[in-house]
Amino acid sequence: DPGLAALREATWCAAATEWMSVTPVALDRNPGNLRHADPVKREAAFRAAAESIATACVNVGLPQPEAVTVLPSGTWSGGAKAAHFPAYPQEPGKLQRVKVHARIRFARALKGPVLLGAGRFQGLGLFRPVPQEDAS
C-alpha cells in the first residue's frame, strides 16, 4: 500500500548519499537573520546555518558532509515550512532555536535513520534518504 510508505524501514533507513529533512532542524547555534534585507548578511546567516548542521552531523557520529544546503521551505511533497512547526523549546523563558530545512550530501552512502539538531529527541531534525534517481 503506497499510503503506508512512512511505516516502511527503507523510507527512513535505506543507504543514501543524500538526505533531506522531513521535519526542520533546530539549530544548535543562532546563525543570524536568514531573512535579512542585506544579501551579504543573509548569505552569512545561511552559511552559518549550514556549518551548524555539518557540525551536528559530526556530533552524532556521522561523517563530515560534502555539502549542506539550507532550504527556504519544506523539502518533501506535503511537508510544512519550518515556521509552521511549534517553537523549540516550548518552555517559557527559554531561548528559541532557529529551525530550518536542509539537504545533506555525504561522500559515501550512509544507512539511517538520520536525526540532527537540538530537537532530535522531540521529533525535529528527521531526515529521509533521497532516492538515487532524485539525487543530483
Side-chain angles (χ1 to χ4, degrees), residues 66-100:
E66 283 187 335
V68 176
T69 305
V70 174
L71 304 167
S73 62
T75 52
W76 295 96
S77 177
K81 292 181 177 184
H84 293 189
F85 282 78
Y88 180 82
Q90 293 186 342
E91 293 87 8
K94 294 249 182 165
L95 181 65
Q96 301 297 300
R97 305 290 181 130
V98 174
K99 298 181 306 293
V100 298

Side-chain angles (χ1 to χ4, degrees), residues 30 42-43 68 89 110 116:
N30 185 341
R42 187 173 54 245
E43 168 93 14
V68 176
L110 305 176
L116 300 172

